[in-house]
Amino acid sequence: MKRKPRSYTAVPQRVDTPSGQLAREIGLPWKQVGMPRLVLGRLEWLALPEIGVGPLHAKTDTGARTSSMHAEDIELIGDGSRVRFVTRDHYGRMITCEAPVAGSGRVKSSTGVARKRLYIETDAVLPGGFTWKIRLTLAHRGKMKCPVLLGRRALAGFFLIDPLGHHLMGALRELESQFPGICRP
Protein backbone atom coordinates (compact mmCIF):
# COMPACT_ATOMS: atom_id res chain seq x y z
CA MET A 1 0.00 0.00 0.00
CA LYS A 2 1.41 3.36 -1.03
CA ARG A 3 1.64 6.05 1.67
CA LYS A 4 0.28 9.49 0.92
CA PRO A 5 2.78 12.31 1.20
CA ARG A 6 2.10 14.70 4.05
CA SER A 7 3.27 18.13 5.04
CA TYR A 8 2.80 20.43 8.01
CA THR A 9 2.33 24.18 8.03
CA ALA A 10 3.06 26.54 10.86
CA VAL A 11 1.80 30.07 10.68
CA PRO A 12 3.19 32.19 13.52
CA GLN A 13 0.50 34.37 14.99
CA ARG A 14 1.07 37.09 17.59
CA VAL A 15 -1.12 36.49 20.59
CA ASP A 16 -1.52 39.06 23.35
CA THR A 17 -1.40 36.42 26.07
CA PRO A 18 1.52 35.81 28.44
CA SER A 19 3.60 32.75 27.47
CA GLY A 20 2.77 30.86 30.68
CA GLN A 21 -0.98 31.22 30.19
CA LEU A 22 -0.79 30.37 26.48
CA ALA A 23 1.23 27.20 27.22
CA ARG A 24 -1.46 26.05 29.68
CA GLU A 25 -4.22 26.80 27.16
CA ILE A 26 -2.63 24.69 24.39
CA GLY A 27 -1.66 21.92 26.82
CA LEU A 28 2.14 21.89 26.50
CA PRO A 29 4.16 19.73 26.28
CA TRP A 30 3.03 17.66 23.29
CA LYS A 31 5.02 14.63 22.22
CA GLN A 32 3.10 14.11 18.96
CA VAL A 33 4.26 15.68 15.70
CA GLY A 34 2.20 18.55 14.33
CA MET A 35 0.64 19.62 17.65
CA PRO A 36 0.49 23.27 18.83
CA ARG A 37 3.76 24.75 20.09
CA LEU A 38 5.11 28.13 21.17
CA VAL A 39 7.37 29.78 18.58
CA LEU A 40 10.83 30.79 19.78
CA GLY A 41 13.32 32.90 17.91
CA ARG A 42 17.01 32.21 17.41
CA LEU A 43 17.72 34.29 20.53
CA GLU A 44 15.52 34.62 23.62
CA TRP A 45 15.71 36.10 27.13
CA LEU A 46 15.74 33.60 29.97
CA ALA A 47 15.94 33.56 33.78
CA LEU A 48 16.98 30.72 36.08
CA PRO A 49 15.34 31.81 39.37
CA GLU A 50 16.10 28.59 41.31
CA ILE A 51 19.80 29.41 41.17
CA GLY A 52 19.29 33.20 41.24
CA VAL A 53 20.46 34.04 37.72
CA GLY A 54 18.77 36.35 35.26
CA PRO A 55 18.47 37.76 32.76
CA LEU A 56 20.47 35.63 30.36
CA HIS A 57 20.68 35.73 26.59
CA ALA A 58 19.89 32.23 25.32
CA LYS A 59 20.57 30.86 21.84
CA THR A 60 18.35 28.10 20.48
CA ASP A 61 20.31 25.40 18.69
CA THR A 62 18.46 22.43 17.22
CA GLY A 63 21.80 20.98 16.14
CA ALA A 64 22.85 20.52 19.76
CA ARG A 65 21.32 17.66 21.74
CA THR A 66 22.17 19.04 25.17
CA SER A 67 21.86 22.52 26.65
CA SER A 68 24.79 24.35 28.15
CA MET A 69 25.40 27.26 30.52
CA HIS A 70 28.48 29.40 31.10
CA ALA A 71 30.24 28.44 34.34
CA GLU A 72 33.63 29.24 35.83
CA ASP A 73 35.38 27.94 38.96
CA ILE A 74 33.31 24.75 38.99
CA GLU A 75 33.77 22.73 42.18
CA LEU A 76 31.98 19.78 43.73
CA ILE A 77 31.07 20.39 47.35
CA GLY A 78 30.23 18.11 50.22
CA ASP A 79 29.97 14.49 49.14
CA GLY A 80 29.87 15.47 45.46
CA SER A 81 26.10 15.75 45.32
CA ARG A 82 26.20 19.55 44.89
CA VAL A 83 28.18 21.86 42.65
CA ARG A 84 29.23 25.46 43.16
CA PHE A 85 30.15 27.65 40.20
CA VAL A 86 30.33 31.27 39.10
CA THR A 87 28.44 32.65 36.12
CA ARG A 88 27.63 36.07 34.68
CA ASP A 89 24.26 37.62 33.93
CA HIS A 90 23.42 39.90 31.00
CA TYR A 91 24.86 42.91 32.85
CA GLY A 92 28.22 41.22 33.47
CA ARG A 93 27.64 40.72 37.20
CA MET A 94 29.44 37.70 38.65
CA ILE A 95 26.97 35.41 40.44
CA THR A 96 27.97 32.47 42.62
CA CYS A 97 25.51 29.61 42.24
CA GLU A 98 25.00 26.31 43.98
CA ALA A 99 22.84 23.46 42.69
CA PRO A 100 22.38 19.71 43.07
CA VAL A 101 24.34 17.61 40.58
CA ALA A 102 21.90 15.88 38.22
CA GLY A 103 24.63 13.75 36.63
CA SER A 104 27.75 13.82 34.53
CA GLY A 105 28.64 12.64 31.07
CA ARG A 106 30.84 13.13 28.05
CA VAL A 107 29.66 15.93 25.78
CA LYS A 108 31.14 16.64 22.37
CA SER A 109 31.59 20.35 21.68
CA SER A 110 31.01 22.00 18.31
CA THR A 111 34.74 21.61 17.66
CA GLY A 112 34.44 17.83 18.04
CA VAL A 113 36.28 17.55 21.37
CA ALA A 114 34.52 15.35 23.97
CA ARG A 115 34.88 16.34 27.62
CA LYS A 116 33.28 15.19 30.85
CA ARG A 117 30.75 17.76 32.10
CA LEU A 118 28.48 18.06 35.10
CA TYR A 119 24.72 18.46 34.63
CA ILE A 120 22.31 20.48 36.73
CA GLU A 121 18.52 20.63 36.46
CA THR A 122 16.68 23.88 37.06
CA ASP A 123 13.57 25.79 36.07
CA ALA A 124 13.93 28.11 33.08
CA VAL A 125 11.54 31.05 32.75
CA LEU A 126 10.75 33.05 29.62
CA PRO A 127 9.17 36.52 29.50
CA GLY A 128 5.45 36.07 30.09
CA GLY A 129 5.98 33.41 32.75
CA PHE A 130 6.37 30.17 30.79
CA THR A 131 8.39 27.86 33.04
CA TRP A 132 9.80 24.43 32.28
CA LYS A 133 12.50 22.17 33.71
CA ILE A 134 15.76 21.99 31.74
CA ARG A 135 19.01 20.08 32.14
CA LEU A 136 22.17 22.13 31.57
CA THR A 137 25.79 21.12 31.30
CA LEU A 138 28.27 23.48 32.91
CA ALA A 139 30.97 24.71 30.51
CA HIS A 140 33.14 27.75 29.98
CA ARG A 141 31.25 29.78 27.35
CA GLY A 142 33.01 33.08 28.10
CA LYS A 143 33.97 33.70 24.47
CA MET A 144 30.46 32.92 23.20
CA LYS A 145 27.89 35.63 22.45
CA CYS A 146 25.24 33.86 24.54
CA PRO A 147 25.95 32.31 27.94
CA VAL A 148 23.14 29.75 27.50
CA LEU A 149 22.60 27.35 24.63
CA LEU A 150 19.21 25.59 24.46
CA GLY A 151 19.50 22.22 22.74
CA ARG A 152 16.91 19.81 21.32
CA ARG A 153 16.16 18.06 24.61
CA ALA A 154 15.16 21.33 26.28
CA LEU A 155 13.08 22.44 23.27
CA ALA A 156 11.27 19.19 22.40
CA GLY A 157 7.53 19.13 22.97
CA PHE A 158 7.30 22.84 23.73
CA PHE A 159 8.67 24.93 20.87
CA LEU A 160 9.07 25.47 17.15
CA ILE A 161 12.06 27.61 16.16
CA ASP A 162 11.92 30.56 13.77
CA PRO A 163 15.57 31.11 12.79
CA LEU A 164 14.80 34.63 11.51
CA GLY A 165 13.10 35.72 14.71
CA HIS A 166 14.57 36.87 17.98
CA HIS A 167 13.06 37.64 21.37
CA LEU A 168 9.63 36.44 20.19
CA MET A 169 8.62 35.56 23.77
CA GLY A 170 9.14 39.12 24.94
CA ALA A 171 11.55 41.91 25.66
CA LEU A 172 14.20 42.10 28.36
CA ARG A 173 12.11 44.57 30.39
CA GLU A 174 9.26 42.02 30.58
CA LEU A 175 11.57 39.42 32.13
CA GLU A 176 13.05 42.02 34.50
CA SER A 177 9.58 42.96 35.73
CA GLN A 178 8.91 39.30 36.62
CA PHE A 179 12.10 38.99 38.71
CA PRO A 180 13.04 42.42 40.06
CA GLY A 181 15.22 40.87 42.79
CA ILE A 182 17.57 39.01 40.45
CA CYS A 183 17.35 41.00 37.24
CA ARG A 184 17.84 44.68 38.03
CA PRO A 185 21.46 45.85 38.38
Side-chain angles (χ1 to χ4, degrees):
M1 176 178 229
K2 188 173 179 180
R3 288 181 51 170
K4 292 182 182 180
R6 65 178 177 187
S7 300
Y8 296 93
T9 62
V11 180
Q13 175 184 355
R14 183 179 172 97
V15 180
D16 293 327
T17 305
S19 61
Q21 180 182 340
L22 184 59
R24 283 189 298 278
E25 288 174 7
I26 62 176
L28 292 179
W30 288 99
K31 297 300 178 189
Q32 297 95 342
V33 174
M35 298 304 287
R37 306 269 199 273
L38 295 175
V39 178
L40 284 186
R42 178 88 168 127
L43 301 170
E44 291 293 342
W45 293 109
L46 186 73
L48 306 172
E50 285 183 324
I51 59 173
V53 181
L56 295 168
H57 218 191
K59 174 182 169 185
T60 58
D61 185 354
T62 59
R65 185 169 39 143
T66 57
S67 300
S68 181
M69 175 182 178
H70 173 69
E72 301 174 23
D73 303 328
I74 301 167
E75 64 176 308
L76 289 171
I77 55 175
D79 61 352
S81 63
R82 297 188 67 76
V83 63
R84 183 178 297 137
F85 59 96
V86 176
T87 191
R88 293 178 188 266
D89 67 6
H90 174 65
Y91 303 108
R93 294 179 295 191
M94 300 289 283
I95 301 167
T96 301
C97 305
E98 191 175 309
V101 174
S104 66
R106 295 189 63 76
V107 177
K108 192 182 291 187
S109 70
S110 60
T111 61
V113 178
R115 290 197 171 93
K116 187 173 181 180
R117 291 190 194 170
L118 294 174
Y119 289 93
I120 63 167
E121 284 185 357
T122 187
D123 285 340
V125 182
L126 293 169
F130 180 67
T131 304
W132 81 112
K133 187 72 79 179
I134 61 173
R135 182 176 261 208
L136 297 161
T137 64
L138 301 177
H140 194 287
R141 295 181 52 83
K143 293 184 179 179
M144 306 295 184
K145 180 180 175 182
C146 298
V148 175
L149 180 105
L150 293 174
R152 288 190 309 268
R153 285 185 176 168
L155 302 169
F158 298 103
F159 306 106
L160 291 177
I161 308 303
D162 180 356
L164 294 176
H166 57 86
H167 308 118
L168 299 179
M169 287 289 107
L172 174 60
R173 67 183 171 278
E174 291 177 52
L175 189 64
E176 289 175 328
S177 68
Q178 289 173 239
F179 300 101
I182 65 172
C183 287
R184 301 260 180 210

